[in-house]
Amino acid sequence: MALRNAATFLGQRLAGAAELGISAAKSAGGEALTNAFVTEGVRHASNQAVKQRIRAIKNIGKITKAMKMVAASKMKNAQVAVEQSRGIVNPFVRLFGDHPGVEGKVGVTVAVTSDRGLCGGLNSNITKYTKTLLKLGSASAEDVETKLVSIGDKGRSQLMRAEPRMFSHTFAETYKIRVTFAQASIIAEELLKSNPEVVKVLFNKFRSAISFKPTLATVLTPEALEKQLTEPTGNRLDAYEIEATHERSDVLRDLAEFQLAATLYNAMLENNCSEHASRMSAMENSTKSAGEMLGKLTLEYNRKRQATITTELIEIIAGASALMDA
Amino acid sequence: MSLQISILTPERPFWNGQADEIILPTETGEMGVLKNHAPIITGLDVGAMLIRGGQASKDEWNSYAIMGGFALVKQNIVTILANEAVSAENINPEEAKEAFEFAKNNLEKAEGIKEKVEANFAYKRAKARYQVVKVLKKI
C-alpha cells in the first residue's frame, strides 16, 4: 500500500518533469529494463540459486575451519612423540652407517602414506618418489627383485595402479588409535619373512609445521651388512666383539630386526605428524578461498536483489505515469 | 664418573647419565661393565639392570627393569637399546609383588604352547619389575 502511494507521488513528480527528462530516464533505464525483461523469467530462480550456494559455501567454510583446528591440536600431540622417538634411530645409523645406494638381490620398498585424504600434496609426493626409486632399482641391475609395501590407504590406491606386479603388502588403519612400537615390530617381522637384503622406507620427515621433506631411510639385513664390511665406506661393525649364546649372525639378525622396527616406528610417527601439519595448511587455504568466494557471491546476490527492487519501482512508476498521462 | 650411559627406548630417550659400573642382564647371564671394557654388542634379556655411581655417590646402586633389547659398549660409551624400560622409583612395590604372584600362577597353570609362551613372557616381565623393586627397597 505504501509502495503504491509512493509510486503515485513519484509518478506525479515525473509527469511534472520535462518530456525530455522522462525519455532520457526511460532510455537510460531502458537498457536495464530490457535486460530485466529478458531475464525476468529466471531472475527470481537464479537469485535463489545464489542464496543456496552462499549457504553451502558458508557451511563448507565452517567445516574446513573446524578441521584445521582439529589438525592443529593433533599435530601438537604428535610432535612431542616424534621428537622423542628420533633418539633411538641415531645409534643404529652411527653403528651401521647410512647406505642408500645399496641394492641387493631381493629388496623391499616401503611407502609410508596416510589413510585419509584432504592433506595436501603429501601422498602424491611419496608415490612420485617411490616410482622413481623403483625405476632406478630396476635400471641398475637385471635380476633385482623388489617388493612394494604400502602403509596407509592412500599409498595403496595410488601405487596399485602404478606397479601392480611388485605390490606385496598393505597395512591400513595404523594411525587409527595410536602408533605403537608393537605395530612397528609386527610390520617389521612381516617384511623380513621374504628375507630381503635391503629395506628402503620412504616417509615425510617432519621438519617444522610448514616443512615436511620426503626422506629415505635404508636398513640393511645381516647379509648385506657383511658385504658392506669389505667396502671402504663400510660400517664399523667388526670393531665390536659379539657375545651371545647363539652365533654372531643370530644376534646381528635380531639387531637388524630391531633397527627395522625402530626405523618404521619413527617413520610412521613422522609421517603422521606431517599429515596433520599438511592438513592444517590445506584447510587454512580452503577456508580462505571459501571466504573470498563468499564475499564475491554476497556482492552478486545483493546487487541482483537491488536490481530487482529498482526494476520493480521503475515498472510501477512507468505504469503510474502512464495512468497520469491517460 | 667414567662411563657415559644412555638408555634409549623407541618411544623416548629414557635416561642419559654417567656412572662407574653397570650390570647388564644379558642372555648368557649378568655381565658387569667397568671402565675401558672391550667393545661389545650383546643382546639383553628381560631383567633388572643395575647402575652404580652417578650424581649421588660412588656406592649407590640404581636399578631399572629392561624388557629386552641390545647393549653396545665402546670406548666407555654404553648405549642401551631397550624395547621398554621402567625405573625402580616408578614401580609400586605391592602391585609388582601381586603381579609377580599372579604371573607365576598363570605360568604353572598354562597349557598348550601358545599359552605357555605368553605366560612365560608375562612371568619374566613381572619378575623383572619385582626384582628391581626388591633391590631398591633393600638399599
Side-chain angles (χ1 to χ4, degrees), chain A residues 111 127 130-131 148 155-164 167:
Chain A
T127 41
T130 313
K131 284 189 228 170
L148 189 53
R156 174 179 60 89
S157 50
Q158 288 176 10
L159 288 170
M160 194 83 95
R161 256 185 286 132
E163 302 273 0
F167 218 85

Side-chain angles (χ1 to χ4, degrees), chain A residues 295-312:
Chain A
K296 264 192 260 177
L297 280 174
T298 314
L299 277 176
E300 186 187 329
Y301 175 72
N302 283 332
R303 219 175 281 140
K304 271 216 177 91
R305 191 175 53 88
Q306 288 164 353
T308 316
I309 296 175
T310 311
T311 39
E312 271 192 44

